[in-house]
Structures are given as C-alpha cells and as structure tokens.
Amino acid sequence: MPETTLQAGLRFTWNYTIPERSTVPNLYHDTEFCREMPPVLATGYLVGMMELACIAGLMPHLDWPREQSVGTMVNFNHIAASTPGMQLRIEGELLEVDGRRLVFQLIAFDDLEKVSEGRHERFIIYPEKFNAKLAQKVEKMVKAGSRE
C-alpha cells in the first residue's frame, strides 16, 4: 500500500434513504414466512448500508478503483425498527489501521432514534489480484463439477 492519509481517528458520515426493497418482506420475497413479517428495514440490508458507509468514507483515502476494500467481519446490534422513506445517518470512525486491515466503529440513526451500533472490519484489496484468485476458484469449481 503506498503512502496514505488513512489513519486511526478518521471520521465520516454517510446518509441513505431507506428504500422499499430493503424491508424484510421485500428482501426475502421468495420465503413465504418473511412475506408475512412487518415491512421494516431488514438487518441484513442494514449491515450492507454500514459497509457502504465505510466504503464511502474510505474512497477519498484510497487510489480508487485500483485499491478497494472488502468486509471481513461485522458485529452490529439492530435496536430499533426503521421504515422505508426514513433517512439513515451512519457515523463512522476508523479505530485501527494494521497494514491492509481496518477496524471501524459505527453508529446509525434514523429520523427519530439510534437504530444500530457496532464494529466492522475491512481489508484493502487490489481488484486485479483479488479477481485473479477468484477466477482460479471458479475454475476449480468448474473442474470439480465436470468430474461428477
């Protein structure tokens, strides 16, 4: 990783309007019992928004798109329900930089209250190298499938 402005203490805020597609019944529309659940923000979608907030916070400090990041660990609570149309504000802080490993503390609020907080770990990747390894994995799977 070349010289970077990426340092512990970096803070960022990211805003996102909760879409209808992010509710439990819509996100898991192919599972009958989920279609019967309340139309609130699904935890899985919330986790994705927390990851996107980190990516947005990192982009000015990376040689994007040559350098990118992937999530490797999430540990968030989901303490309040939010509905489509509400604005989600995610505030983040980079707690630790250990080579390519990054650890974030995040907190999310909807229009009325705190809805989530926790930690997230990401690794900086080089897409060209990452995609080459991924292609090798796919090739192995294709070969394994042809032996059956």
Side-chain angles (χ1 to χ4, degrees):
M1 209 168 85
E3 186 72 26
T4 181
T5 57
L6 207 50
Q7 297 178 12
L10 169 73
R11 292 179 182 270
F12 53 89
T13 300
W14 190 68
N15 296 302
Y16 188 79
T17 302
I18 299 169
E20 186 70 35
R21 70 178 179 271
S22 69
T23 65
V24 175
N26 287 322
L27 187 61
Y28 305 109
H29 60 87
D30 57 348
T31 306
E32 187 175 340
F33 62 85
C34 287
R35 290 193 304 262
E36 299 166 353
M37 295 184 70
V40 296
L41 177 64
T43 302
Y45 202 93
L46 172 65
V47 168
M49 286 189 270
M50 300 290 252
E51 286 198 89
L52 288 176
C54 290
I55 294 168
L58 284 173
M59 284 181 74
H61 304 277
L62 296 177
D63 182 14
W64 192 273
R66 195 181 71 76
E67 293 177 315
Q68 296 179 13
S69 71
V70 293
T72 56
M73 187 278 298
V74 294
N75 184 10
F76 301 121
N77 61 16
H78 193 171
I79 56 178
S82 303
T83 58
M86 288 183 138
Q87 184 78 16
L88 202 67
R89 183 181 84 246
I90 301 170
E91 299 174 359
E93 180 179 0
L94 179 57
L95 298 178
E96 184 180 342
V97 178
D98 180 14
R100 294 184 303 125
R101 181 177 157 269
L102 311 169
V103 179
F104 297 88
Q105 177 70 34
L106 298 160
I107 185 167
F109 301 88
D110 64 19
D111 294 320
L112 302 173
E113 61 191 334
K114 178 167 61 170
V115 297
S116 180
E117 64 184 330
R119 289 196 177 201
H120 178 42
E121 180 180 274
R122 301 189 68 77
F123 270 79
I124 294 172
I125 63 159
Y126 299 95
E128 189 174 307
K129 185 177 178 182
F130 187 90
N131 290 334
K133 284 184 179 181
L134 187 59
Q136 288 176 347
K137 187 172 186 175
V138 169
E139 187 177 317
K140 285 180 185 178
M141 285 300 299
V142 169
K143 285 180 182 178
S146 65
R147 287 186 233 149
E148 293 178 7

PDB file of all heavy atoms in Angstrom, residues 18-29 31-43 78 80-84:
ATOM      1  N   ILE A  18     -33.854   4.964   3.189  1.00  0.00           N
ATOM      2  CA  ILE A  18     -34.215   3.544   3.230  1.00  0.00           C
ATOM      3  C   ILE A  18     -35.231   3.245   2.127  1.00  0.00           C
ATOM      4  O   ILE A  18     -36.324   3.815   2.116  1.00  0.00           O
ATOM      5  CB  ILE A  18     -34.786   3.164   4.612  1.00  0.00           C
ATOM      6  CG1 ILE A  18     -33.739   3.418   5.698  1.00  0.00           C
ATOM      7  CG2 ILE A  18     -35.271   1.719   4.620  1.00  0.00           C
ATOM      8  CD1 ILE A  18     -34.271   3.320   7.114  1.00  0.00           C
ATOM      9  N   PRO A  19     -34.889   2.351   1.190  1.00  0.00           N
ATOM     10  CA  PRO A  19     -35.808   2.028   0.100  1.00  0.00           C
ATOM     11  C   PRO A  19     -36.795   0.912   0.484  1.00  0.00           C
ATOM     12  O   PRO A  19     -36.527   0.112   1.398  1.00  0.00           O
ATOM     13  CB  PRO A  19     -34.878   1.552  -1.017  1.00  0.00           C
ATOM     14  CG  PRO A  19     -33.710   0.973  -0.298  1.00  0.00           C
ATOM     15  CD  PRO A  19     -33.568   1.772   0.982  1.00  0.00           C
ATOM     16  N   GLU A  20     -37.879   0.851  -0.216  1.00  0.00           N
ATOM     17  CA  GLU A  20     -38.897  -0.187  -0.005  1.00  0.00           C
ATOM     18  C   GLU A  20     -38.297  -1.587  -0.147  1.00  0.00           C
ATOM     19  O   GLU A  20     -38.650  -2.504   0.583  1.00  0.00           O
ATOM     20  CB  GLU A  20     -40.048   0.014  -1.002  1.00  0.00           C
ATOM     21  CG  GLU A  20     -41.225  -0.908  -0.787  1.00  0.00           C
ATOM     22  CD  GLU A  20     -42.023  -0.613   0.470  1.00  0.00           C
ATOM     23  OE1 GLU A  20     -42.161   0.569   0.834  1.00  0.00           O
ATOM     24  OE2 GLU A  20     -42.509  -1.574   1.104  1.00  0.00           O
ATOM     25  N   ARG A  21     -37.352  -1.746  -1.077  1.00  0.00           N
ATOM     26  CA  ARG A  21     -36.763  -3.075  -1.326  1.00  0.00           C
ATOM     27  C   ARG A  21     -35.958  -3.605  -0.136  1.00  0.00           C
ATOM     28  O   ARG A  21     -35.600  -4.775  -0.107  1.00  0.00           O
ATOM     29  CB  ARG A  21     -35.895  -3.040  -2.575  1.00  0.00           C
ATOM     30  CG  ARG A  21     -34.614  -2.250  -2.421  1.00  0.00           C
ATOM     31  CD  ARG A  21     -33.744  -2.273  -3.687  1.00  0.00           C
ATOM     32  NE  ARG A  21     -32.551  -1.487  -3.512  1.00  0.00           N
ATOM     33  CZ  ARG A  21     -32.440  -0.199  -3.775  1.00  0.00           C
ATOM     34  NH1 ARG A  21     -33.480   0.461  -4.247  1.00  0.00           N
ATOM     35  NH2 ARG A  21     -31.313   0.446  -3.565  1.00  0.00           N
ATOM     36  N   SER A  22     -35.674  -2.766   0.847  1.00  0.00           N
ATOM     37  CA  SER A  22     -34.842  -3.168   1.980  1.00  0.00           C
ATOM     38  C   SER A  22     -35.632  -3.771   3.136  1.00  0.00           C
ATOM     39  O   SER A  22     -35.048  -4.165   4.139  1.00  0.00           O
ATOM     40  CB  SER A  22     -34.053  -1.967   2.491  1.00  0.00           C
ATOM     41  OG  SER A  22     -34.921  -1.030   3.108  1.00  0.00           O
ATOM     42  N   THR A  23     -36.951  -3.846   3.011  1.00  0.00           N
ATOM     43  CA  THR A  23     -37.756  -4.394   4.110  1.00  0.00           C
ATOM     44  C   THR A  23     -37.686  -5.915   4.114  1.00  0.00           C
ATOM     45  O   THR A  23     -37.397  -6.544   3.090  1.00  0.00           O
ATOM     46  CB  THR A  23     -39.224  -3.955   4.002  1.00  0.00           C
ATOM     47  OG1 THR A  23     -39.790  -4.513   2.813  1.00  0.00           O
ATOM     48  CG2 THR A  23     -39.360  -2.439   4.021  1.00  0.00           C
ATOM     49  N   VAL A  24     -37.982  -6.490   5.259  1.00  0.00           N
ATOM     50  CA  VAL A  24     -37.931  -7.952   5.390  1.00  0.00           C
ATOM     51  C   VAL A  24     -38.795  -8.632   4.335  1.00  0.00           C
ATOM     52  O   VAL A  24     -38.311  -9.522   3.622  1.00  0.00           O
ATOM     53  CB  VAL A  24     -38.318  -8.390   6.824  1.00  0.00           C
ATOM     54  CG1 VAL A  24     -38.377  -9.910   6.927  1.00  0.00           C
ATOM     55  CG2 VAL A  24     -37.349  -7.811   7.847  1.00  0.00           C
ATOM     56  N   PRO A  25     -40.074  -8.240   4.157  1.00  0.00           N
ATOM     57  CA  PRO A  25     -40.895  -8.934   3.153  1.00  0.00           C
ATOM     58  C   PRO A  25     -40.366  -8.789   1.721  1.00  0.00           C
ATOM     59  O   PRO A  25     -40.491  -9.724   0.921  1.00  0.00           O
ATOM     60  CB  PRO A  25     -42.266  -8.259   3.264  1.00  0.00           C
ATOM     61  CG  PRO A  25     -42.285  -7.626   4.613  1.00  0.00           C
ATOM     62  CD  PRO A  25     -40.860  -7.254   4.905  1.00  0.00           C
ATOM     63  N   ASN A  26     -39.758  -7.671   1.401  1.00  0.00           N
ATOM     64  CA  ASN A  26     -39.251  -7.469   0.038  1.00  0.00           C
ATOM     65  C   ASN A  26     -37.882  -8.095  -0.179  1.00  0.00           C
ATOM     66  O   ASN A  26     -37.614  -8.656  -1.242  1.00  0.00           O
ATOM     67  CB  ASN A  26     -39.197  -5.981  -0.302  1.00  0.00           C
ATOM     68  CG  ASN A  26     -40.575  -5.426  -0.534  1.00  0.00           C
ATOM     69  OD1 ASN A  26     -41.427  -6.078  -1.115  1.00  0.00           O
ATOM     70  ND2 ASN A  26     -40.809  -4.220  -0.060  1.00  0.00           N
ATOM     71  N   LEU A  27     -37.012  -8.001   0.807  1.00  0.00           N
ATOM     72  CA  LEU A  27     -35.667  -8.543   0.662  1.00  0.00           C
ATOM     73  C   LEU A  27     -35.700 -10.072   0.562  1.00  0.00           C
ATOM     74  O   LEU A  27     -34.954 -10.676  -0.185  1.00  0.00           O
ATOM     75  CB  LEU A  27     -34.788  -8.098   1.839  1.00  0.00           C
ATOM     76  CG  LEU A  27     -33.314  -8.440   1.755  1.00  0.00           C
ATOM     77  CD1 LEU A  27     -32.664  -7.791   0.541  1.00  0.00           C
ATOM     78  CD2 LEU A  27     -32.589  -7.986   3.018  1.00  0.00           C
ATOM     79  N   TYR A  28     -36.588 -10.674   1.316  1.00  0.00           N
ATOM     80  CA  TYR A  28     -36.702 -12.140   1.342  1.00  0.00           C
ATOM     81  C   TYR A  28     -38.033 -12.568   0.736  1.00  0.00           C
ATOM     82  O   TYR A  28     -38.717 -13.448   1.253  1.00  0.00           O
ATOM     83  CB  TYR A  28     -36.548 -12.643   2.771  1.00  0.00           C
ATOM     84  CG  TYR A  28     -35.265 -12.169   3.411  1.00  0.00           C
ATOM     85  CD1 TYR A  28     -35.279 -11.216   4.425  1.00  0.00           C
ATOM     86  CD2 TYR A  28     -34.034 -12.645   2.973  1.00  0.00           C
ATOM     87  CE1 TYR A  28     -34.099 -10.763   4.998  1.00  0.00           C
ATOM     88  CE2 TYR A  28     -32.847 -12.191   3.541  1.00  0.00           C
ATOM     89  CZ  TYR A  28     -32.896 -11.255   4.547  1.00  0.00           C
ATOM     90  OH  TYR A  28     -31.726 -10.806   5.114  1.00  0.00           O
ATOM     91  N   HIS A  29     -38.400 -11.976  -0.387  1.00  0.00           N
ATOM     92  CA  HIS A  29     -39.691 -12.195  -1.029  1.00  0.00           C
ATOM     93  C   HIS A  29     -39.926 -13.642  -1.449  1.00  0.00           C
ATOM     94  O   HIS A  29     -41.059 -14.073  -1.615  1.00  0.00           O
ATOM     95  CB  HIS A  29     -39.852 -11.279  -2.244  1.00  0.00           C
ATOM     96  CG  HIS A  29     -38.797 -11.506  -3.272  1.00  0.00           C
ATOM     97  ND1 HIS A  29     -38.916 -12.457  -4.255  1.00  0.00           N
ATOM     98  CD2 HIS A  29     -37.589 -10.928  -3.438  1.00  0.00           C
ATOM     99  CE1 HIS A  29     -37.828 -12.450  -4.994  1.00  0.00           C
ATOM    100  NE2 HIS A  29     -37.000 -11.531  -4.529  1.00  0.00           N
ATOM    101  N   THR A  31     -39.303 -16.231   0.380  1.00  0.00           N
ATOM    102  CA  THR A  31     -39.536 -17.043   1.568  1.00  0.00           C
ATOM    103  C   THR A  31     -40.899 -16.648   2.147  1.00  0.00           C
ATOM    104  O   THR A  31     -41.069 -15.523   2.608  1.00  0.00           O
ATOM    105  CB  THR A  31     -38.420 -16.815   2.610  1.00  0.00           C
ATOM    106  OG1 THR A  31     -37.163 -17.047   1.979  1.00  0.00           O
ATOM    107  CG2 THR A  31     -38.577 -17.732   3.802  1.00  0.00           C
ATOM    108  N   GLU A  32     -41.851 -17.589   2.091  1.00  0.00           N
ATOM    109  CA  GLU A  32     -43.240 -17.270   2.430  1.00  0.00           C
ATOM    110  C   GLU A  32     -43.395 -16.616   3.801  1.00  0.00           C
ATOM    111  O   GLU A  32     -44.055 -15.590   3.935  1.00  0.00           O
ATOM    112  CB  GLU A  32     -44.099 -18.529   2.357  1.00  0.00           C
ATOM    113  CG  GLU A  32     -45.570 -18.224   2.544  1.00  0.00           C
ATOM    114  CD  GLU A  32     -46.456 -19.440   2.345  1.00  0.00           C
ATOM    115  OE1 GLU A  32     -46.029 -20.422   1.714  1.00  0.00           O
ATOM    116  OE2 GLU A  32     -47.592 -19.389   2.836  1.00  0.00           O
ATOM    117  N   PHE A  33     -42.774 -17.168   4.828  1.00  0.00           N
ATOM    118  CA  PHE A  33     -42.980 -16.605   6.158  1.00  0.00           C
ATOM    119  C   PHE A  33     -42.415 -15.199   6.295  1.00  0.00           C
ATOM    120  O   PHE A  33     -42.885 -14.408   7.103  1.00  0.00           O
ATOM    121  CB  PHE A  33     -42.490 -17.531   7.279  1.00  0.00           C
ATOM    122  CG  PHE A  33     -41.010 -17.822   7.255  1.00  0.00           C
ATOM    123  CD1 PHE A  33     -40.094 -16.961   7.838  1.00  0.00           C
ATOM    124  CD2 PHE A  33     -40.540 -18.986   6.659  1.00  0.00           C
ATOM    125  CE1 PHE A  33     -38.734 -17.238   7.829  1.00  0.00           C
ATOM    126  CE2 PHE A  33     -39.186 -19.278   6.652  1.00  0.00           C
ATOM    127  CZ  PHE A  33     -38.276 -18.396   7.226  1.00  0.00           C
ATOM    128  N   CYS A  34     -41.425 -14.841   5.496  1.00  0.00           N
ATOM    129  CA  CYS A  34     -40.876 -13.483   5.539  1.00  0.00           C
ATOM    130  C   CYS A  34     -41.840 -12.473   4.918  1.00  0.00           C
ATOM    131  O   CYS A  34     -41.883 -11.320   5.335  1.00  0.00           O
ATOM    132  CB  CYS A  34     -39.527 -13.420   4.838  1.00  0.00           C
ATOM    133  SG  CYS A  34     -38.218 -14.208   5.799  1.00  0.00           S
ATOM    134  N   ARG A  35     -42.619 -12.914   3.933  1.00  0.00           N
ATOM    135  CA  ARG A  35     -43.600 -12.002   3.314  1.00  0.00           C
ATOM    136  C   ARG A  35     -44.675 -11.591   4.312  1.00  0.00           C
ATOM    137  O   ARG A  35     -45.342 -10.589   4.125  1.00  0.00           O
ATOM    138  CB  ARG A  35     -44.217 -12.659   2.084  1.00  0.00           C
ATOM    139  CG  ARG A  35     -43.237 -12.788   0.931  1.00  0.00           C
ATOM    140  CD  ARG A  35     -43.922 -13.151  -0.370  1.00  0.00           C
ATOM    141  NE  ARG A  35     -44.723 -14.365  -0.285  1.00  0.00           N
ATOM    142  CZ  ARG A  35     -44.320 -15.573  -0.684  1.00  0.00           C
ATOM    143  NH1 ARG A  35     -43.114 -15.723  -1.191  1.00  0.00           N
ATOM    144  NH2 ARG A  35     -45.118 -16.602  -0.597  1.00  0.00           N
ATOM    145  N   GLU A  36     -44.823 -12.357   5.384  1.00  0.00           N
ATOM    146  CA  GLU A  36     -45.827 -12.062   6.409  1.00  0.00           C
ATOM    147  C   GLU A  36     -45.272 -11.175   7.529  1.00  0.00           C
ATOM    148  O   GLU A  36     -46.005 -10.773   8.421  1.00  0.00           O
ATOM    149  CB  GLU A  36     -46.340 -13.369   7.011  1.00  0.00           C
ATOM    150  CG  GLU A  36     -47.011 -14.267   5.994  1.00  0.00           C
ATOM    151  CD  GLU A  36     -47.228 -15.683   6.489  1.00  0.00           C
ATOM    152  OE1 GLU A  36     -46.729 -16.026   7.596  1.00  0.00           O
ATOM    153  OE2 GLU A  36     -47.877 -16.458   5.774  1.00  0.00           O
ATOM    154  N   MET A  37     -43.991 -10.849   7.489  1.00  0.00           N
ATOM    155  CA  MET A  37     -43.351 -10.077   8.556  1.00  0.00           C
ATOM    156  C   MET A  37     -43.562  -8.584   8.350  1.00  0.00           C
ATOM    157  O   MET A  37     -43.920  -8.143   7.251  1.00  0.00           O
ATOM    158  CB  MET A  37     -41.875 -10.451   8.641  1.00  0.00           C
ATOM    159  CG  MET A  37     -41.687 -11.905   9.057  1.00  0.00           C
ATOM    160  SD  MET A  37     -39.980 -12.377   9.290  1.00  0.00           S
ATOM    161  CE  MET A  37     -39.580 -11.469  10.757  1.00  0.00           C
ATOM    162  N   PRO A  38     -43.329  -7.774   9.389  1.00  0.00           N
ATOM    163  CA  PRO A  38     -43.528  -6.321   9.279  1.00  0.00           C
ATOM    164  C   PRO A  38     -42.611  -5.701   8.221  1.00  0.00           C
ATOM    165  O   PRO A  38     -41.471  -6.139   8.042  1.00  0.00           O
ATOM    166  CB  PRO A  38     -43.149  -5.796  10.668  1.00  0.00           C
ATOM    167  CG  PRO A  38     -43.265  -6.972  11.570  1.00  0.00           C
ATOM    168  CD  PRO A  38     -42.939  -8.174  10.735  1.00  0.00           C
ATOM    169  N   PRO A  39     -43.084  -4.671   7.528  1.00  0.00           N
ATOM    170  CA  PRO A  39     -42.299  -4.004   6.485  1.00  0.00           C
ATOM    171  C   PRO A  39     -41.287  -3.015   7.067  1.00  0.00           C
ATOM    172  O   PRO A  39     -41.406  -1.803   6.909  1.00  0.00           O
ATOM    173  CB  PRO A  39     -43.364  -3.306   5.643  1.00  0.00           C
ATOM    174  CG  PRO A  39     -44.450  -2.991   6.625  1.00  0.00           C
ATOM    175  CD  PRO A  39     -44.446  -4.139   7.613  1.00  0.00           C
ATOM    176  N   VAL A  40     -40.303  -3.563   7.768  1.00  0.00           N
ATOM    177  CA  VAL A  40     -39.251  -2.749   8.393  1.00  0.00           C
ATOM    178  C   VAL A  40     -37.898  -3.105   7.785  1.00  0.00           C
ATOM    179  O   VAL A  40     -37.739  -4.159   7.165  1.00  0.00           O
ATOM    180  CB  VAL A  40     -39.209  -2.950   9.926  1.00  0.00           C
ATOM    181  CG1 VAL A  40     -40.498  -2.466  10.565  1.00  0.00           C
ATOM    182  CG2 VAL A  40     -38.946  -4.410  10.288  1.00  0.00           C
ATOM    183  N   LEU A  41     -36.938  -2.224   7.972  1.00  0.00           N
ATOM    184  CA  LEU A  41     -35.591  -2.438   7.465  1.00  0.00           C
ATOM    185  C   LEU A  41     -35.051  -3.784   7.951  1.00  0.00           C
ATOM    186  O   LEU A  41     -35.009  -4.053   9.155  1.00  0.00           O
ATOM    187  CB  LEU A  41     -34.680  -1.298   7.956  1.00  0.00           C
ATOM    188  CG  LEU A  41     -33.202  -1.381   7.595  1.00  0.00           C
ATOM    189  CD1 LEU A  41     -33.004  -1.313   6.085  1.00  0.00           C
ATOM    190  CD2 LEU A  41     -32.450  -0.245   8.288  1.00  0.00           C
ATOM    191  N   ALA A  42     -34.629  -4.617   7.014  1.00  0.00           N
ATOM    192  CA  ALA A  42     -34.055  -5.923   7.343  1.00  0.00           C
ATOM    193  C   ALA A  42     -32.641  -5.735   7.887  1.00  0.00           C
ATOM    194  O   ALA A  42     -31.881  -4.910   7.376  1.00  0.00           O
ATOM    195  CB  ALA A  42     -34.029  -6.811   6.102  1.00  0.00           C
ATOM    196  N   THR A  43     -32.302  -6.505   8.886  1.00  0.00           N
ATOM    197  CA  THR A  43     -30.968  -6.412   9.477  1.00  0.00           C
ATOM    198  C   THR A  43     -29.882  -6.659   8.432  1.00  0.00           C
ATOM    199  O   THR A  43     -28.867  -5.970   8.410  1.00  0.00           O
ATOM    200  CB  THR A  43     -30.834  -7.397  10.651  1.00  0.00           C
ATOM    201  OG1 THR A  43     -31.844  -7.091  11.615  1.00  0.00           O
ATOM    202  CG2 THR A  43     -29.466  -7.304  11.301  1.00  0.00           C
ATOM    203  N   HIS A  78     -29.052  -4.363  16.217  1.00  0.00           N
ATOM    204  CA  HIS A  78     -30.133  -3.697  15.487  1.00  0.00           C
ATOM    205  C   HIS A  78     -31.213  -3.452  16.527  1.00  0.00           C
ATOM    206  O   HIS A  78     -31.974  -4.352  16.847  1.00  0.00           O
ATOM    207  CB  HIS A  78     -30.622  -4.589  14.342  1.00  0.00           C
ATOM    208  CG  HIS A  78     -31.500  -3.877  13.364  1.00  0.00           C
ATOM    209  ND1 HIS A  78     -31.885  -4.453  12.182  1.00  0.00           N
ATOM    210  CD2 HIS A  78     -32.070  -2.642  13.380  1.00  0.00           C
ATOM    211  CE1 HIS A  78     -32.653  -3.606  11.508  1.00  0.00           C
ATOM    212  NE2 HIS A  78     -32.783  -2.505  12.223  1.00  0.00           N
ATOM    213  N   ALA A  80     -33.612  -0.781  16.865  1.00  0.00           N
ATOM    214  CA  ALA A  80     -34.879  -0.105  16.621  1.00  0.00           C
ATOM    215  C   ALA A  80     -35.277  -0.309  15.164  1.00  0.00           C
ATOM    216  O   ALA A  80     -34.435  -0.364  14.285  1.00  0.00           O
ATOM    217  CB  ALA A  80     -34.758   1.390  16.922  1.00  0.00           C
ATOM    218  N   ALA A  81     -36.586  -0.419  14.952  1.00  0.00           N
ATOM    219  CA  ALA A  81     -37.111  -0.611  13.603  1.00  0.00           C
ATOM    220  C   ALA A  81     -37.164   0.713  12.850  1.00  0.00           C
ATOM    221  O   ALA A  81     -37.431   1.765  13.428  1.00  0.00           O
ATOM    222  CB  ALA A  81     -38.519  -1.216  13.683  1.00  0.00           C
ATOM    223  N   SER A  82     -36.901   0.628  11.552  1.00  0.00           N
ATOM    224  CA  SER A  82     -36.980   1.787  10.657  1.00  0.00           C
ATOM    225  C   SER A  82     -37.826   1.396   9.455  1.00  0.00           C
ATOM    226  O   SER A  82     -37.848   0.236   9.054  1.00  0.00           O
ATOM    227  CB  SER A  82     -35.590   2.201  10.179  1.00  0.00           C
ATOM    228  OG  SER A  82     -34.746   2.487  11.267  1.00  0.00           O
ATOM    229  N   THR A  83     -38.489   2.378   8.864  1.00  0.00           N
ATOM    230  CA  THR A  83     -39.371   2.115   7.737  1.00  0.00           C
ATOM    231  C   THR A  83     -38.862   2.792   6.468  1.00  0.00           C
ATOM    232  O   THR A  83     -38.085   3.748   6.538  1.00  0.00           O
ATOM    233  CB  THR A  83     -40.795   2.608   8.040  1.00  0.00           C
ATOM    234  OG1 THR A  83     -40.749   4.006   8.325  1.00  0.00           O
ATOM    235  CG2 THR A  83     -41.396   1.866   9.233  1.00  0.00           C
ATOM    236  N   PRO A  84     -39.302   2.298   5.319  1.00  0.00           N
ATOM    237  CA  PRO A  84     -38.903   2.927   4.055  1.00  0.00           C
ATOM    238  C   PRO A  84     -39.249   4.415   4.051  1.00  0.00           C
ATOM    239  O   PRO A  84     -40.265   4.841   4.605  1.00  0.00           O
ATOM    240  CB  PRO A  84     -39.731   2.173   3.006  1.00  0.00           C
ATOM    241  CG  PRO A  84     -39.982   0.839   3.622  1.00  0.00           C
ATOM    242  CD  PRO A  84     -40.154   1.122   5.093  1.00  0.00           C
TER     243      PRO A  84
END
